[in-house]
Every structure is written in structure tokens, then in C-alpha cells.
Amino acid sequence: MINVSNPTLLEYLSDHLQVSALEIQLKPFKGGFSNLTYGLDAPGKKWVLRRPPLGKKISKAHDMAREFRILEALERAGYQKIPKPILCCEDESIWDAPFFIMEHVEGPILRNIMPEGHHLSPHFFKQLSAISLDVLLELHQLELEKSGLGNLGKPEGFVSRQVMGWSDRYSKAETEEILDMDHLASWLKQHIPELEHVGFIHNDFKYDNLVLSNFEQPEIKAVLDWEMATVGDPLMDLGTVLAYWAEAKDPEILKMFNLSYAEGNFTRAEVIEYYAQRSSLNLDKIHFYYAFGLFKVGVIAQQIYQRHVQGFAPDPRFAALIHVVKACGKLAVQSILTHRI
């Protein structure tokens, strides 16, 4: 259990934010599956604090200092749909792990079910589908060299490193044999596209990482959760978007990450068509990127499930994530065999 009343933490926050330690309130946000996010309040002031989860660290997925630097780089590049970065602490003696503080962007966030008290229309979701993809395209087309964003990643060999890296993570997190996931890892290694594209990518882009202006007229105020952002192949990012983009006909377990299955949303085929019409990238191999996206989502679920089994992530929701792993593997293998997305 994480102690949010840690005197050392409160003293640190008081010193750096110029507020009284006695007036600081730190409350966890519910609903996330990975890094821990807290509302940080003081009289007349609101921030957001992010830190890694309990248990072993997993690659760059929980690197708080890196996420903070990404926000700083985007801010310098003039990108406005971000929470302003405020403060980063890499001294683990303060709160057992690095953490950072950012601006609190006011606005609703869509989770995986209709927000209480609101009935969002098919027209709303059709608009949101297009607007969210416009934001994704804008990210993928950001200028890299003059802005300095190009320094945030190594695009050469990106696709191959991703396939090998996520395959390795799966092996280390595996708790039982899932043949579809094993087959998928092997297939991805054998079908890495020769052509690579380069752009700035978010790597976890879905509705619940978007702050909206309101539930009447969809407008995106900020994009959240930049810990996996880098410079690489934008089609790998699109593949992850497609993996999270659940449709009404999909298994129920895969609807726990995105409200894209609600009536009015684009289908995955329409997502691909919309993106292709507004991008110069070659989407002939989109089935590979979709399969990779499903594999990655499955691996992320497997990693969290492993931490749950080990006792580091007691949230009862996490017990069901092994079924997400199996569903991702099955859906990806079906897509490969049928050539449908």
C-alpha cells in the first residue's frame, strides 16, 4: 500500500510548490491499469501527480522522468494539447520511486462505459472518432528536427526492436502457456515489414487518455499518458489504436479499455480509411501493425496480471486480465488467417 501521508513527501511538495504541507490533499484517481495517478490539491490550486505502480519496474513503461522530459519537449515544440509539466523528482528517498507533477486539465474523460448521467449520441461518437484521429495524425506529422523531438527516439530498426522487445517481455511475464500468443510472437518476427516510416508517436492513444471539453460537443483539450511516446513508425502507433478500438461484435473482455464500441463510432475499417486519406504513409501492411497492436495489448495485460498474481497489484479487476491476453491472441490469429481487421 502506498502511503500518501508520507511526511517526507508532504515536506518536499510543500517546499517546491510553495504551499503548506498541512493543506495538501493527495487522492488517487481510479480506473487506470498501469501508472498511479493522483489529484494533488491545495487551497486555490490543483495539480496531477504520477508515479510508477508497486512491484518490479517494466522497461520504459514506468519511467516518470522520461515522461516528464517528453512533456517538456512537446511544450518547447509548441504542441498545446498537453498538461503543462511542473516538477519532476527522481530522488527515490522522497516516496520510494520517481514521480512528477503536471498541470490539472479540467474536463471529462471517457472510460469504457457511458458516463453516468449522460447519453452520448451516435453523432457525438462519429465526431469524436474523426477528431481523435485528427489529433493522432497531427502528432504523427510533427516536425522532428528543428523542434528537437527527434532526439526522443531511435527510428532506425524501430519495428524490429519493438517486436523483439515485446516478445521478450511476454516471455518474462508469462504465467501459463497461451498458444495463440506464442504463435503470434513467432509470426510477427517472420513478417516485419521492410519499409519503415518515421514520426512522433504516442504509443497508448485511446479515448481514456483524452481530456474533452465537455460531453456536448467533442473537442480534445489534452492528451495524457505520454510515458511510452517516442520517435518511431507511426503505423505501429496506428496498430495499437486499432487494437484498443473495440467494436460492438468483439468479445466483451476487450471492451474494457475503450468506448469505441458505442453506436456511432467508426469501425476499425473506417479508422484505417480515414487515416489513409489524410496520410502519405503506405498502409498495405496494416494487418501486421494491427496484429502487433493486439500482441502489445496482450503483453501489457499479462504484465499487470503477473503483478496481480505476485501480490503487487491487488485490484480485483486485474484478475480478469488473463482473459484479455487470451482474447488478444485469438483475435490477432483470426485476423492473420482471414486477413480481416
Side-chain angles (χ1 to χ4, degrees), residues 165-176:
W166 284 101
S167 296
D168 184 56
R169 292 181 196 112
Y170 181 69
S171 297
K172 291 178 179 177
E174 192 173 6
T175 51
E176 63 181 85

Side-chain angles (χ1 to χ4, degrees), residues 14 24 33 36 45 87 91 96 98 101 110 114 150 158 165 183 209 212 217-218 220 226 229 235 251 285 296 325:
S14 175
I24 292 174
F33 285 86
L36 304 178
K45 298 180 179 180
L87 172 67
D91 183 354
D96 303 322
I101 297 167
L110 277 180
M114 284 286 185
F158 176 80
H183 173 75
N209 281 333
L212 306 180
Q217 180 70 28
I220 296 170
W226 294 90
L235 295 188
K285 304 287 187 180
K296 185 172 79 168
V325 184

Side-chain angles (χ1 to χ4, degrees), residues 11-27:
E11 182 180 353
Y12 177 91
L13 295 175
S14 175
D15 289 344
H16 288 79
L17 298 176
Q18 287 79 53
V19 294
S20 168
L22 298 176
E23 296 180 314
I24 292 174
Q25 293 187 348
L26 195 60
K27 297 180 180 179

